[in-house]
Amino acid sequence: MSRLVVVSNRVADPRKAAAGGLAVALGDALNKTGGLWFGWSGKTIEGGASGEGELQMDTAGNVTLATVDLSVQDHAGYYLGYSNGVLWPVFHYRLDLARFDAGFITAYRRVNQLFAKRLLPLLKPDDILWIHDYHLIPLGAELRAMGCTNRIGFFLHIPFPPPLIVAAIPQHEWLIRSLFAYDLVGLQSEADLRHFSSYVQVEAGALDLGSNRFRAFNRTVKAGAFPIGIDVDEFAALTHAKEGRDMHERMKEEYSRRKLLLGVERLDYSKGLPQRIRAFRALLRKYPENLKSATLIQIASPSREDMGAYTDLLKELESLCGATNGDFGELDWMPIRYMHRNVARKRLPGLYRAARVALVTPLRDGMNLVAKEFIAAQDPADPGVLVLSRFAGAAEQLEHALLVNPYDIDGMAETIQQALQMPLEERQARHQHLLASIRRYDVHWWRKTFLDTLSTISRD
Ligand code: ADQ
């Protein structure tokens, strides 16, 4: 059985629960055959060039963790610059927020080359490589250029936008060409797969060989939609563990006279936070029976705070929440409880379970795991309602949620009202479908389907 090698920007100890479902699932797979997880150490070094320091090796159970430090300058250009200042906004359709600074691409290439150089000597001939996300798009091509002939798969966790949007990236031809170094390119949704397929044919002149196989630049790549899921059993277990239960009871008691609505995410402009607060304002205005009765808990964890677009968003959100509480609040009722912080993973399920309605309304999202976690944490006998953006990848699978267009503020307010008023039987029926879907397509299904496809692809 081949050894699995996972490469991602950050490496997590798969044994720690705090690392979350993805790390646990990858850890499971790595553990099975004894595996290697390679990535950035999370440390930056002043002065010298990236990679001058030794490769750091560590072990976690059966898994070897191999990491490298990055120089402050490379980290700025590769991570903050190209990955999060160009690729993240463009792939989320926000060309207006992209900063095409020529220095970024140099650092992005340099770090990908460094990763390839450091990883190659660790590889055995029959290792299977699985590279993750937009930080590392050209890593496969760098490895091939150094002579690597292993099977390599790539999974993009964020959306793949329509061809003309990708084409706004000055280096798009080089970037997408480098995807042909992989044997398999995994995307989150069928929509992403359509965009990818149309980009490679229209912009790169690739030949469609059928079954989502494309030929260009003397190579054949297979693409596929592999929607990522959560570890439903692990999440359900957290819901019933002490901290989950305590949190649920505390929230139930605190909000016993209120209808609780909940939003949880990283504070990111792709998540549609201002639009959501505006929709909640519209709800209070249009349906005054919610005054003194509905409370929105909005938790937005700090993210990429050293970037301008994120500080602007933080200010906008604070001002919108403040204005809503100022305009509608009473001495004994605040419409919005806004918190700019993380909630401990063990307590999160209790919070989800106490909510009558979850608002998961990104403007664009690769998948969105919060939607799936909310479903997993519900009491099937009295479940809450999921209001979900049609622009989240998860909407393709979760059609039994109440789907909304997050740009349509009034429409969203009407749907939230529908969610608040939904009769028990309808809530139960919808939840049953949703739960079946997240169970069937859980994180183990995702990992297994991707790796099975990768290891059985015929190669030329
Ligand atoms: P993210 O954009 O980070 O992920 P998401 O899929 O929702 O978005 O995952 C976030 C995770 O962080 C969830 O497990 C959630 O519980 C946790 N989390 C978020 N806010 C939190 C808070 N305030 N406190 C505690 N925990 C919090 C990217 C893509 C997604 C894709 C995933 C996985 O943008 O579209 O679904 O990767 O592929």
Side-chain angles (χ1 to χ4, degrees), residues 231-383:
D231 188 331
V232 179
D233 292 330
E234 180 223 34
F235 212 78
L238 281 180
T239 310
H240 299 294
K242 185 174 181 317
E243 284 172 80
R245 280 200 330 262
D246 287 353
M247 183 71 170
H248 180 238
E249 270 156 34
R250 250 183 59 202
M251 298 308 290
K252 277 285 185 208
E253 206 178 289
E254 178 80 22
Y255 293 96
S256 57
R257 292 183 302 120
R258 313 265 186 239
K259 293 173 277 184
L260 199 59
L261 298 99
L262 179 66
V264 177
E265 47 260 299
R266 285 184 304 104
L267 200 147
D268 192 288
Y269 49 77
S270 64
K271 303 291 183 186
L273 286 157
Q275 289 79 358
R276 182 183 311 161
I277 304 297
R278 287 195 188 98
F280 186 64
R281 278 181 75 96
L283 173 88
L284 298 177
R285 228 181 13 246
K286 282 172 82 144
Y287 306 101
E289 68 264 36
N290 293 310
L291 294 170
K292 292 190 82 166
S293 129
T295 296
L296 169 63
I297 295 187
Q298 177 59 58
I299 297 167
S301 61
S303 183
R304 304 172 198 167
E305 304 235 294
D306 26 16
M307 301 184 71
Y310 289 79
T311 38
D312 291 350
L313 174 67
L314 178 66
K315 281 189 209 127
E316 185 183 4
L317 192 59
E318 282 172 356
S319 133
L320 271 168
C321 292
T324 307
N325 283 342
D327 292 345
F328 295 95
E330 303 276 349
L331 285 174
D332 58 352
W333 170 69
M334 276 298 153
I336 303 182
R337 291 240 167 146
Y338 161 66
M339 274 154 287
H340 181 218
R341 76 172 76 109
N342 257 301
V343 175
R345 192 167 169 76
K346 288 184 176 164
R347 297 166 68 185
L348 207 49
L351 190 56
Y352 286 141
R353 200 174 171 95
R356 183 110 158 230
V357 175
L359 302 179
V360 182
T361 56
L363 303 177
R364 197 73 189 94
D365 216 330
M367 177 52 56
N368 195 294
L369 296 180
V370 169
K372 297 186 174 184
E373 290 169 356
F374 175 76
I375 296 164
Q378 296 309 300
D379 174 1
D382 184 18

